[in-house]
Amino acid sequence: MSAFADHPWLHGRVPNGFWDRREHRIQYIRWLGERCGFHKPEDWYVVRKSHFKSNCGGGLLCTQYQDSVHAALREFYPDYDWLPWRFHSVPPKYWTIPENRHRYMAWLEKELGFTQPEDWYGVVKQTFSGNYGGGLLHGEFGDSVSACVRDYMPEYNWLAWKFRDTPNRFWQEAKNRRAYMSWLGAKLGFVLPSDWYRITKTSFYENHGAGLLRTFYQDSPQRAVREILPEMDWKPWLFTSVPQRFWHSADNRLYYLRWLGQQLGLRQPPDWSALSARQLRQHHGAGLLEFYATGAAGLEAESRKVARRYAGVWPLIVRVECTLSGQDPQWLSSVLA
């Protein structure tokens, strides 16, 4: 009976106005803490509305604290620096207030030991969900880490591609692709348009551009370069590698041979007869030479033996091109002239 007298909420309905008095509210919360084994402020972060409702305190929580566990504990421990995001749920519309978002981000920054803005590039969605910030990231920023970080430090010049995940459809916008390529060129020390011939897949993969290269350019650095400098007369063979099956196209082979003739001053059939395998290799034609030697269909065994020795390069070229095209040697000479 004394327990009921000391704790009237155990009777069921408390007297009218009972919860209006602060000492009664504090008395109840102290009793609830003892009942649930909460001995210090940190212990209370696990408390939920259900703890109040199942322990005769649902009316108190609803009428005095608008169903906010956080509000109840602020009254019980007014001097404690509560972190609302560590509770099961934050107060309604808590994350819509910029000060609350920034307070959380400052706390997270300290928790993760960050000392400079660049440290945020390594953060992923799981970083937030593992540190009580999943609701913030999902509800306010659509799970976009970069958007959340920009909200926290809007004055910093963030590069979206340096985050672990770029925003949805980021690479679909041409301005974003151009911004990345401009940044990449500067990072690689490219000054002249011809410097882009040195670009490789590794250049993208080691500089936060793997997603762009794979999803938008089909893993082809040449496609990326052609988009940002479409006015340039690019020669595919001058890149570190040509597109797959490039030399299987007659147009591509003849395009290269005409260019080679200009480079070496080959104008008449007698000039071409002196062409050597070394000259092809020195002028970025090693892949074409390999095609002529082993990849061309319609050559009899004897011709293949000649091809493997790379002897008589010009006769080999004539034989392959005329066999594949069904034309005569004069046709090839006229095309290259």
Side-chain angles (χ1 to χ4, degrees):
M1 292 298 296
S2 61
F4 287 128
D6 292 339
H7 311 306
W9 51 84
L10 293 177
H11 282 293
R13 185 180 179 86
V14 297
N16 289 336
F18 182 80
W19 295 128
D20 293 338
R21 298 181 61 177
R22 184 178 183 277
E23 61 266 29
H24 291 164
R25 300 194 296 271
I26 296 301
Q27 179 187 5
Y28 171 81
I29 295 176
R30 183 179 294 111
W31 170 83
L32 179 63
E34 294 173 354
R35 186 177 179 87
C36 296
F38 302 152
H39 304 296
K40 56 184 183 297
E42 282 276 325
D43 298 337
W44 282 93
Y45 278 124
V46 300
V47 75
R48 300 190 182 190
K49 294 179 185 179
S50 57
H51 286 86
F52 284 81
K53 291 180 179 179
S54 62
N55 288 281
C56 312
L60 164 64
L61 192 66
C62 177
T63 61
Q64 299 296 320
Y65 302 113
Q66 291 72 53
D67 267 344
S68 171
V69 171
H70 181 223
L73 292 176
R74 273 200 315 236
E75 183 177 50
F76 187 53
Y77 285 111
D79 298 325
Y80 188 73
D81 185 23
W82 292 103
L83 305 177
W85 48 86
R86 291 195 56 186
F87 289 99
H88 175 65
S89 61
V90 295
K93 297 185 178 181
Y94 180 81
W95 295 125
T96 64
I97 302 173
E99 290 79 2
N100 293 338
R101 299 195 299 269
H102 295 173
R103 184 188 175 203
Y104 169 80
M105 293 293 283
W107 172 83
L108 180 61
E109 185 175 50
K110 185 176 180 181
E111 285 289 300
L112 298 176
F114 289 172
T115 58
Q116 56 187 354
E118 288 267 331
D119 294 334
W120 284 101
Y121 283 128
V123 168
V124 295
K125 179 180 176 181
Q126 289 74 16
T127 308
F128 284 84
S129 60
N131 288 279
Y132 315 103
L136 163 64
L137 190 67
H138 180 73
E140 296 300 314
F141 301 104
D143 285 332
S144 172
V145 172
S146 62
C148 185
V149 174
R150 285 176 188 274
D151 178 71
Y152 178 50
M153 293 184 175
E155 71 287 350
Y156 190 76
N157 183 30
W158 296 103
L159 303 175
W161 49 84
K162 294 186 72 173
F163 287 96
R164 295 277 292 276
D165 298 304
T166 55
N168 289 336
R169 301 185 63 79
F170 179 80
W171 296 123
Q172 300 297 319
E173 296 190 31
K175 65 177 183 179
N176 293 335
R177 299 194 298 272
R178 289 184 177 277
Y180 171 79
M181 293 295 286
S182 176
W183 172 84
L184 178 62
K187 192 171 191 301
L188 297 175
F190 292 172
V191 178
L192 302 173
S194 57
D195 292 337
W196 284 99
Y197 279 125
R198 304 201 308 270
I199 197 74
T200 65
K201 290 182 182 180
T202 303
S203 304
F204 287 85
Y205 279 58
E206 292 183 349
N207 290 286
H208 317 286
L212 167 63
L213 191 67
R214 283 196 305 262
T215 61
F216 203 85
Y217 296 119
Q218 292 74 56
D219 236 15
S220 170
Q222 285 195 38
R223 288 176 181 263
V225 173
R226 286 179 183 276
E227 183 185 42
I228 62 165
L229 293 171
E231 68 283 358
M232 283 286 293
D233 182 21
W234 296 105
K235 303 297 188 291
W237 49 86
L238 294 181
F239 287 94
T240 56
S241 62
V242 296
Q244 192 173 15
R245 297 183 63 82
F246 177 82
W247 298 119
H248 288 255
S249 165
D251 289 341
N252 292 340
R253 296 193 301 272
L254 295 178
Y255 182 30
Y256 170 80
L257 289 172
R258 283 193 291 269
W259 172 84
L260 181 65
Q262 293 174 350
Q263 299 296 306
L264 299 177
L266 308 177
R267 295 179 176 82
Q268 302 298 325
D271 300 332
W272 283 95
S273 63
L275 182 64
S276 68
R278 170 178 283 186
Q279 287 175 309
L280 258 76
R281 294 193 191 96
Q282 289 176 340
H283 289 79
H284 312 278
L288 176 60
L289 187 63
E290 185 69 16
F291 172 83
Y292 283 138
T294 62
L299 296 179
E300 61 271 19
E302 187 59 31
S303 294
R304 288 180 179 277
K305 291 180 182 178
V306 174
R308 289 193 184 93
R309 292 198 300 271
Y310 296 147
V313 172
W314 177 243
L316 175 62
I317 293 174
V318 172
R319 186 175 189 86
V320 172
E321 293 299 345
C322 292
T323 299
L324 294 180
S325 65
Q327 303 286 345
D328 56 34
Q330 287 73 26
W331 161 81
L332 181 59
S333 298
S334 65
V335 168
L336 297 183

